[in-house]
Amino acid sequence: QCHRALVLRDRAEHHKAHISPRRDRGKANAQNVKPKDHHEKERQVRKILLNMNAPDHMVGFPYLVDAILLTMKNEISIMNMKWGIYTPISEKYHNTPEAVQRALTNVVDEICLHAPFEEMERVFPGIYKDGKDKAPNGRFISRVANLVKYDLYEGGGDECR
């Protein structure tokens, strides 16, 4: 009878040791959830782009959103645009890196040509002088990524909620 009690106690401790981490893991994950999840960041990126009159009907618009999110996730990816940005996006959309680059360039050029001056000045303070300045893809992507990542954007309306 004493041996049986020891065996049952050992089993209970063994069972508790294997179950507890799972229960605690759920609580730990709930505490570690960041208030800005992926969807919130994507919504903020889209808000900034739409406030700058980004043509969301163009093929490059989703590429641009993904490029900005990739840069936010891994800042080093912007250092080598072809392998860090264009290639992962081309794989996601079953396209070539060159086609992604061309589409991104078209969207960024359209934004720079048609964005309201106030909005471009808000995103690129002191850089955007007139409607003829065009930002390179990398500079544009990294600037918008930093605005969202560090909560620096205090843009216009919330029309894209």
Side-chain angles (χ1 to χ4, degrees):
Q1 198 176 38
C2 186
H3 175 70
R4 181 171 164 78
L6 288 174
V7 169
L8 289 175
R9 188 189 72 199
D10 288 345
R11 282 186 186 167
E13 287 176 6
H14 178 76
H15 183 67
K16 186 190 285 184
H18 287 286
I19 296 296
S20 293
R22 288 186 180 159
R23 289 183 187 156
D24 292 342
R25 198 177 328 149
K27 291 177 186 173
N29 284 344
Q31 293 169 353
N32 293 334
V33 171
K34 295 180 180 177
K36 260 195 166 180
D37 61 349
H38 178 75
H39 296 295
E40 177 62 25
K41 289 178 182 177
E42 182 177 346
R43 189 192 72 75
Q44 185 71 8
V45 167
R46 288 178 182 275
K47 175 184 172 187
I48 292 171
L49 294 176
L50 292 175
N51 283 343
M52 294 184 348
N53 289 341
D56 57 345
H57 66 279
M58 290 180 75
V59 173
F61 185 81
Y63 298 171
L64 184 57
V65 172
D66 285 347
I68 292 166
L69 293 172
L70 271 173
T71 303
M72 289 169 53
K73 191 175 179 182
N74 181 8
E75 293 176 2
I76 297 173
S77 63
I78 201 76
M79 300 298 186
N80 186 340
M81 292 291 290
K82 181 170 184 179
W83 297 107
I85 302 291
Y86 303 144
T87 300
I89 293 173
S90 69
E91 289 170 358
K92 178 179 178 181
Y93 291 97
H94 308 291
N95 214 331
T96 64
E98 292 77 17
V100 170
Q101 178 186 10
R102 199 167 40 251
L104 280 173
T105 301
N106 289 338
V107 170
V108 170
D109 288 352
E110 284 293 314
I111 291 170
C112 291
L113 288 173
H114 300 293
F117 177 77
E118 299 80 23
E119 198 63 32
M120 287 303 281
E121 190 60 31
R122 188 176 288 135
V123 175
F124 298 100
I127 297 172
Y128 188 78
K129 294 171 186 59
D130 56 13
K132 297 174 185 166
D133 291 341
K134 294 181 184 177
N137 290 353
R139 179 180 291 169
F140 187 91
I141 291 166
S142 96
R143 180 67 183 152
V144 176
N146 284 331
L147 287 174
V148 175
K149 188 172 185 176
Y150 300 113
D151 290 325
L152 300 174
Y153 182 72
E154 297 170 0
D158 286 335
E159 56 269 353
C160 68
R161 273 194 171 210

